[in-house]
């Protein structure tokens, strides 16, 4: 099977898993979906590394798998399970079917936006994939936004932010390609510290309110 | 010297956890803050006349040099104020030893993040510095671990992280543009390379990149409607940190926008397209705040909304074109001095009354008259009453706007500033002069009259600097100095 087809498959699977994760209403299922999506992202990045013949992109793919598919999901679940009385049930403003309906529009919007962007590639190895991967990366960014808006709990907002970051990482790989390795690692470090900070804050919110429902965080309004 | 400056700040962070007394923690912080201020002045001074590259990674010019001095000055003053503020809270058992150490560890780290943004020539390091300003301060926003603090911290980290992530998309667009013009991916991450090659960028790519970057980093600046985190975060964090937030963090984020605007303007041939963004968001921010300031119940939130207004004015001024940079630079410096003064003095009010609500403050003018007087003078300065520097900058802004034919937006701004004046003066009079039996928290260190303390010394120094700077701005020499600074930063032709 050619590398191009495999990379397209991984990109499609990444989008599909991220799309359906919007309907997951239990934390372990949501985190698992995110881990699977990140695995497909890492595989897509590895495919692009093969096509571009860029060694640094292999390292970026490996770091993506290590941090986003393994370390961060394990850490989030460990943080959540620290509080024995916290429910694994997540909250949403809309039912699952409605959420997927809205997500379909969002994906359509992403397709439309991807056709407007003045980006292209001169690399003949990558050009068959370019527009498709651009569409996938924009979809992930908007699906991440949607998850943060439509879900009512702290952990969904963290996963939504991470989905958004996955989209940006995919956009960077597609649009720019070889970002210097040190910068790539710096960006990973920042993402890891963000997740640690969010998890610590969510632990404090759980201690105070005994729930992860973000409706409790509504004292400060004008 | 730059690496030595960074090392001092890292050492200051680490020294908060040395096995010595809390008194030693704050003394070490103060001494290192003073040292970093002097080194910053030493680094920045030559750049005021000519830009300097330090290796490939670091670049300093007039604007970044000026901001570097402002950041380190505020680091120094906020450390002095914090030494008293945090110690009083510790003695009143409002915080514990761990929080005390955390505070003095995170403050220099926060300052370091801002300095990295100001000095970086590399877009990737620049972005990491911006995101680090959020991550190093989220636990300062949630410092008191109460419900409202946690809510403020959650909003802060989520919204600012989203914003800075959108900024990263903008950076990727500019990098793509650089690669299209012949740069490698590594070279296209350097500001100097992008600036040199900008004329070869595709305009559409630059426009999309600037759009993402402006919306993203504009969230960090606090432009309406991306501002919702700002009043909460600035209102709930300890007052010395609020001073640094409003005084320099917003300026640093604004500086990031200016840096990218410069490259975009070269690529597009003029500053009109990017200027429209600044004008629109500037006017919107000032109008919104003009309305919001009429209905405030907390004095720290009032000051935070005022910061949004001043960022709006900065944006409006920059949107007027190269000539608008002169009042914008004056305004930046004036706002830093005035707003930090106000937040430092609001800290004294909080220590005395343990509340940020207007309804809980009674008899302030009688109980803490020194603080009250300084607060009143600070409010007059922030409302652009002469001889404050903001009078000079706003007067100049309006002059440039009318000269450039920007009439109806200017009228809207003037109307909004009138509302701002009414709102803030009404609240200030209520805060300072509401009669009643004072409910000031008693402490054996308080006498019948308010004692002088280290915070008052900082406030007096800032007040003197503020009004001296205000007078300087009104002189031909002051105008010429800012004009030369603006010219050195203008990437398109400057009006003669």
């Amino acid at each position: 099977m050619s590398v191009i087809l495999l990379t397209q498959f991984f990109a499609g699977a990444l989008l599909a898993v991220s799309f359906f994760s919007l309907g997951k209403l239990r934390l372990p299922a949501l985190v698992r979906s995110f881990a699977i999506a990140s695995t497909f992202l890492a595989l897509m990045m590895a495919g692009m590394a093969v096509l571009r013949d860029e060694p640094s992109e292999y390292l970026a793919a490996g770091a993506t798998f290590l941090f986003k598919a393994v370390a961060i999901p394990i850490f989030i679940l460990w943080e959540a399970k620290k509080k024995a009385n916290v429910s694994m049930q997540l909250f949403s403003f809309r039912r699952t079917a409605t959420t997927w309906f809205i997500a379909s529009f969002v994906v359509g919007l992403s397709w439309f936006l991807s056709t407007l962007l003045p980006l292209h590639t001169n690399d003949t190895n990558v050009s068959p994939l370019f527009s498709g991967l651009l569409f996938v990366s924009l979809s992930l960014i908007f699906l991440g936004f949607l998850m943060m808006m439509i879900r009512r709990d702290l952990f969904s907002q963290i996963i939504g932010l991470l989905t958004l970051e996955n989209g940006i990482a995919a956009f960077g790989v597609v649009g720019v390609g070889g970002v210097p390795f040190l910068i790539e690692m710096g960006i990973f470090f920042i993402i890891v510290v963000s997740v640690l900070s969010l998890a610590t804050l969510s632990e404090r919110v759980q201690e105070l309110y005994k729930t992860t429902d973000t409706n409790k965080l509504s004292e400060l309004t004008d | 010297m730059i690496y030595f400056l960074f090392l001092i700040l890292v050492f200051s962070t680490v020294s908060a956890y040395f096995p010595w007394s809390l008194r030693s923690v704050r003394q070490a912080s103060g001494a290192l803050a003073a040292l970093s201020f002097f080194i910053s002045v030493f680094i920045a001074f030559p750049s005021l006349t000519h830009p300097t590259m330090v290796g490939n990674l670091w670049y300093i010019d007039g604007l970044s040099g000026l901001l570097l001095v402002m950041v380190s000055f505020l680091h120094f003053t906020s450390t002095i104020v914090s030494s008293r503020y945090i110690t009083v809270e510790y003695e009143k058992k409002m915080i514990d030893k761990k929080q005390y150490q955390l505070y003095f560890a995170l403050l220099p780290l926060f300052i370091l993040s801002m300095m990295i943004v100001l000095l970086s020539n590399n877009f990737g390091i620049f972005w990491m510095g911006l995101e680090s300003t959020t991550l190093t301060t989220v636990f300062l926003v949630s410092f008191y671990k109460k419900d409202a603090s946690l809510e403020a911290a959650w909003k802060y980290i989520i919204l600012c992280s989203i914003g800075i992530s959108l900024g990263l998309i903008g950076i990727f667009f500019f990098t793509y543009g650089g690669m299209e013009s012949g740069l490698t991916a590594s070279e296209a991450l350097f500001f100097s390379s992008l600036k040199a090659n900008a004329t070869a960028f595709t305009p559409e790519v630059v426009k999309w990149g600037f759009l993402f970057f402006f919306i993203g980093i504009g969230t960090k600046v606090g432009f309406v409607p991306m501002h919702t985190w700002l009043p909460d975060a600035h209102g709930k964090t300890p007052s010395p940190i609020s001073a640094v937030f409003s005084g320099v963090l917003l300026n640093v984020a604004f500086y990031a926008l200016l840096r990218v605007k410069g490259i975009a303007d070269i690529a597009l041939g003029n500053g009109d397209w990017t200027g429209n963004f600044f004008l629109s968001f500037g006017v919107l921010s000032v109008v919104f705040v003009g309305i919001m300031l009429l209905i405030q119940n907390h004095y720290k939130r009032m000051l935070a909304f005022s910061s949004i207004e001043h960022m709006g004015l900065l944006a409006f001024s920059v949107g007027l074109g190269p000539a608008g940079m002169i009042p914008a630079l004056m305004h930046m410096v004036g706002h830093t001095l005035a707003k930090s003064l106000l937040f430092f003095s609001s800290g004294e009010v909080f220590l005395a009354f343990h509340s940020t609500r207007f309804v809980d403050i009674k008899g302030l003018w009688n109980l803490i008259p020194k603080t009250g007087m300084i607060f009143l003078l600070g409010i007059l300065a922030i409302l652009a009453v002469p001889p404050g520097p903001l009078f000079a900058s706003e007067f100049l802004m309006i002059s440039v706007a009318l000269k450039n034919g920007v009439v109806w937006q200017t009228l809207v701004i003037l109307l909004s500033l009138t509302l701002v004046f009414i709102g803030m003066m009404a609240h200030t009079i209520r805060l300072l002069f509401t009669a009643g039996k004072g409910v000031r928290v008693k402490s054996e260190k308080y006498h019948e009259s308010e004692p002088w303390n280290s915070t008052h010394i900082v406030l007096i120094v800032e007040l003197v600097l503020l009004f001296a700077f205000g007078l300087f701005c009104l002189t031909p020499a002051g105008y010429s100095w800012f004009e030369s600074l603006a010219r050195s930063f203008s990437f398109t032709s400057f009006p003669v």
Side-chain angles (χ1 to χ4, degrees):
Chain A
M1 211 178 202
S2 79
V3 177
I4 290 177
L5 276 175
L6 268 177
T7 308
Q8 281 176 327
F9 169 74
F10 294 141
L14 166 61
L15 178 57
V17 171
S18 300
F19 181 93
F20 287 108
S21 70
L22 281 162
K24 304 285 182 192
L25 289 176
R26 285 189 58 77
L27 182 61
L30 180 63
V31 173
R32 221 171 11 246
S33 291
F34 172 72
I36 293 169
S38 299
T39 305
F40 282 125
L41 173 65
L43 288 168
M44 186 196 96
M45 290 169 76
M48 293 294 282
V50 170
L51 291 169
R52 285 197 173 119
D53 195 23
E54 277 281 351
S56 63
E57 286 189 41
Y58 290 115
L59 293 170
T64 299
F65 177 76
L66 194 65
F67 286 113
K68 291 186 175 179
V70 176
I72 288 175
I74 289 173
F75 177 73
I76 291 175
L77 282 176
W78 175 72
E79 268 294 318
K81 284 174 182 169
K82 263 166 52 171
K83 298 279 165 214
N85 59 345
V86 167
S87 167
M88 291 287 152
Q89 189 66 30
L90 304 175
F91 309 97
S92 179
F93 288 110
R94 289 285 174 266
R95 288 183 295 182
T96 302
T98 313
T99 304
W100 281 335
F101 188 69
I102 298 170
S104 309
F105 275 109
V106 165
V107 170
L109 180 69
S110 307
W111 172 255
F112 176 67
L113 187 61
S114 71
T115 59
L116 292 180
L117 292 182
L119 301 174
H120 62 273
T121 183
N122 294 325
D123 187 340
T124 49
N125 290 330
V126 172
S127 52
L129 294 169
F130 191 82
S131 56
L133 295 188
L134 192 62
F135 155 64
V136 167
S137 63
L138 288 173
S139 299
L140 282 176
I141 291 168
F142 287 116
L143 288 175
F145 271 125
L146 181 64
M147 184 174 289
M148 295 176 80
M149 286 191 292
I150 216 159
R151 300 289 281 259
R152 235 175 63 200
D153 63 274
L154 303 173
F155 289 109
S156 294
Q157 292 203 342
I158 296 174
I159 299 294
L161 184 64
L162 289 169
T163 304
L164 172 77
E165 305 266 6
N166 274 357
I168 294 172
F171 184 87
V173 165
V174 171
V176 175
V179 174
F181 179 67
L182 281 177
I183 303 294
E184 194 85 57
M185 288 301 103
I187 294 172
F188 271 118
F189 176 71
I190 293 289
I191 291 170
V192 166
V193 173
S194 301
V195 171
L196 290 174
S197 304
L198 284 163
T200 307
L201 268 182
S202 66
E203 188 184 336
R204 291 185 187 173
V205 171
Q206 285 173 70
E207 270 172 17
L208 197 61
Y209 294 108
K210 309 289 184 266
T211 179
T212 58
D213 188 346
T214 53
N215 270 349
K216 296 292 180 189
L217 303 176
S218 54
E219 184 187 324
L220 298 170
T221 51
D222 286 308
Chain B
M1 281 307 269
I2 287 178
Y3 291 109
F4 184 53
L5 177 62
F6 293 165
L7 202 61
I8 288 171
L9 293 169
V10 169
F11 184 72
S12 185
T13 297
V14 170
S15 69
Y17 290 103
F18 282 177
W20 53 17
S21 67
L22 295 179
R23 189 178 176 203
S24 299
V25 166
R26 59 180 188 265
Q27 284 177 341
S29 291
L32 291 167
L35 182 59
S36 72
F37 173 62
F38 288 117
I39 293 175
S40 299
V41 171
F42 180 77
I43 292 171
F45 194 70
S47 71
L48 296 175
T49 47
H50 56 268
T52 313
M53 285 289 296
V54 180
N56 220 6
L57 289 180
W58 312 107
Y59 171 79
I60 181 162
D61 62 10
L63 180 59
S64 53
L66 178 65
L67 285 169
L68 182 71
V69 172
M70 282 158 59
V71 166
S72 59
F73 175 72
L74 220 51
H75 175 210
F76 181 44
T77 51
S78 64
T79 304
I80 296 173
V81 172
S82 300
S83 296
R84 167 177 152 71
Y85 188 90
I86 295 297
T87 302
V88 169
E89 291 200 327
Y90 177 72
E91 286 169 355
K92 289 180 181 177
K93 298 192 178 2
M94 291 166 68
I95 61 172
D96 57 27
K97 185 181 175 185
K98 270 172 111 175
Q99 285 172 287
Y100 195 110
Q101 289 173 308
L102 181 71
Y103 183 97
F104 282 100
L106 289 177
L107 177 56
L109 216 50
F110 173 34
I111 300 296
L112 174 62
S113 312
M114 287 192 283
M115 288 185 176
I116 288 172
V117 175
L118 292 174
L119 297 174
S120 176
N121 184 40
N122 182 289
F123 239 144
I125 296 173
F126 173 87
W127 182 85
M128 285 190 272
L130 270 173
E131 183 66 33
S132 299
T133 61
T134 306
L135 298 176
T136 52
T137 48
V138 67
F139 294 112
L140 289 173
V141 176
S142 67
F143 190 66
Y144 297 111
K145 297 182 187 174
K146 292 181 189 164
D147 40 8
S149 308
L150 289 174
E151 182 188 339
W154 188 264
K155 261 189 194 170
Y156 174 55
I157 191 172
I158 290 287
L159 289 173
C160 287
S161 294
I162 292 172
I164 296 172
S165 298
L166 288 177
L168 186 57
I169 298 175
I171 289 172
F172 284 147
F173 271 98
F174 278 95
T175 308
Y176 175 89
M179 288 167 68
E180 259 196 329
S181 72
L183 297 170
T184 64
S186 301
E187 288 168 346
L189 280 174
F190 288 98
F191 282 115
S192 48
S193 312
L194 289 173
K195 194 176 148 189
N197 281 43
T199 47
F201 291 4
T202 307
E204 289 305 313
V205 170
V206 170
K207 285 180 179 178
W208 278 102
F210 185 79
L211 173 68
F212 274 101
F213 196 83
F214 188 89
I215 299 297
I217 306 305
T219 307
K220 190 78 182 173
V221 176
F223 291 143
V224 171
M226 298 92 72
H227 70 285
T228 51
W229 63 273
L230 198 152
D232 302 341
H234 289 216
K236 290 297 164 192
T237 194
S239 295
I241 301 297
S242 304
V244 182
F245 270 12
S246 279
V248 285
L249 176 60
L250 301 186
N251 282 347
V252 168
F254 195 85
Y255 164 84
L257 288 180
L258 289 180
R259 227 352 128 208
V260 172
K261 178 185 190 313
I263 297 171
D265 289 349
I266 296 174
L268 298 174
N270 59 57
D272 294 348
W273 191 85
T274 57
N276 287 333
F277 277 88
F278 282 88
L279 265 178
S280 311
F281 280 85
V283 172
L284 185 61
S285 300
V286 178
V287 168
F288 180 80
V289 168
I291 298 164
M292 292 306 293
L293 276 174
L294 297 172
I295 53 169
Q296 290 304 306
N297 297 315
H298 296 72
Y299 55 85
K300 284 185 77 176
R301 282 179 78 84
M302 176 187 80
L303 295 177
F305 272 107
S306 165
S307 297
I308 298 172
E309 172 228 331
H310 286 281
M311 289 302 112
L313 285 172
L314 275 183
F316 174 74
S317 191
V318 167
L320 297 173
M325 276 298 289
I326 304 169
L329 294 174
M330 284 182 189
H331 202 85
M332 240 188 218
V333 179
H335 178 252
T336 297
L337 289 171
K339 193 50 64 65
S340 58
L341 177 101
L342 283 167
F343 271 114
F344 288 152
S345 47
S346 76
E348 286 297 302
V349 174
F350 181 78
L351 287 179
F353 292 95
H354 282 190
S355 175
T356 58
R357 292 176 357 134
F358 290 118
V359 296
D360 294 334
I361 317 290
K362 289 181 173 53
L364 187 152
W365 194 260
N366 292 324
L367 287 164
I368 46 171
K370 297 179 181 75
T371 303
M373 173 58 83
I374 294 170
F375 190 87
L376 179 61
L377 290 173
I379 287 286
L380 291 174
I382 208 76
L383 291 174
V385 173
L390 299 182
F391 167 75
S393 61
E394 290 182 19
F395 188 88
L396 202 51
M397 260 181 229
I398 302 299
S399 308
V400 170
L402 293 174
K403 193 177 168 189
N404 287 4
V406 179
V407 178
W408 72 263
Q409 294 99 322
T410 307
L411 290 173
V412 167
I413 289 271
L414 285 171
L415 182 64
S416 305
L417 289 178
T418 309
L419 292 177
V420 167
F421 189 93
I422 292 168
M424 285 190 78
M425 277 313 297
H427 293 312
T428 301
I429 289 167
R430 181 162 64 140
L431 177 72
L432 297 177
F433 301 115
T434 300
K437 201 168 175 188
V439 293
R440 194 182 76 191
V441 175
K442 289 220 171 74
S443 157
E444 64 268 19
K445 289 187 181 166
Y446 271 114
H447 308 291
E448 283 305 314
S449 62
E450 183 189 9
W452 285 104
N453 58 49
S454 53
T455 301
H456 289 130
I457 296 170
V458 169
L459 293 175
I460 299 287
V461 168
E462 283 207 326
L463 209 54
V464 168
L465 280 173
L466 185 63
F467 289 106
F469 179 66
L471 291 170
F472 175 68
C473 290
L474 291 170
T475 62
Y479 181 87
S480 298
W481 191 76
F482 277 103
E483 188 187 14
S484 63
L485 201 60
R487 277 184 189 276
S488 70
F489 197 73
S490 279
F491 295 101
T492 51
S493 57
F494 202 89
V496 173

